[in-house]
Amino acid sequence: TVSAKLVLLLSPLARELRSSIDFSERQHDHNVCRIFACGGSACSPPVLKLLGEAIGIPIECWNPVQSLDISGLNGTAPQVQALGPSLAAAVGVAVARLS
């Protein structure tokens, strides 16, 4: 099935994520309880669900523009909102330049 193939494809990524999380938790002496993903297919609900289950931590899609005022974009706010998860790097650079 598609789900079984997706699990097979995501297994190496899940192992790497779990290893990185374990390392971070040991280094900083705290537990990771939420994970945010961003990017096009990275925010696919089936991908997030399978990865979250595999590593034992819920993963949510992060939209970096959801808390920004994008109302002045001449009617393109819905498109920007929809593309938001793919704009993480661009939003990060812009916010850093504004700070």
Side-chain angles (χ1 to χ4, degrees):
T1 69
V2 173
S3 181
K5 289 184 183 197
L6 190 56
V7 169
L8 185 65
L9 290 170
L10 292 175
S11 291
L13 177 59
R15 283 191 301 275
E16 186 64 34
L17 285 171
R18 185 71 253 175
S19 176
S20 296
I21 292 165
D22 290 343
F23 177 79
S24 178
E25 288 178 336
R26 284 191 306 275
Q27 290 294 109
H28 301 286
D29 196 31
H30 66 83
N31 291 330
V32 174
C33 57
R34 286 174 72 191
I35 298 173
F36 295 92
C38 61
S41 58
C43 283
S44 164
V47 169
L48 295 180
K49 183 177 185 305
L50 288 170
L51 280 175
E53 289 172 354
I55 64 175
I57 301 171
I59 304 175
E60 301 172 41
C61 182
W62 176 59
N63 186 337
V65 299
Q66 76 185 35
S67 61
L68 300 177
D69 179 9
I70 58 173
S71 61
L73 296 178
N74 297 329
T76 61
Q79 291 93 332
V80 172
Q81 192 68 258
L83 291 172
S86 297
L87 299 173
V91 170
V93 168
V95 169
R97 299 282 283 168
L98 294 173
S99 303

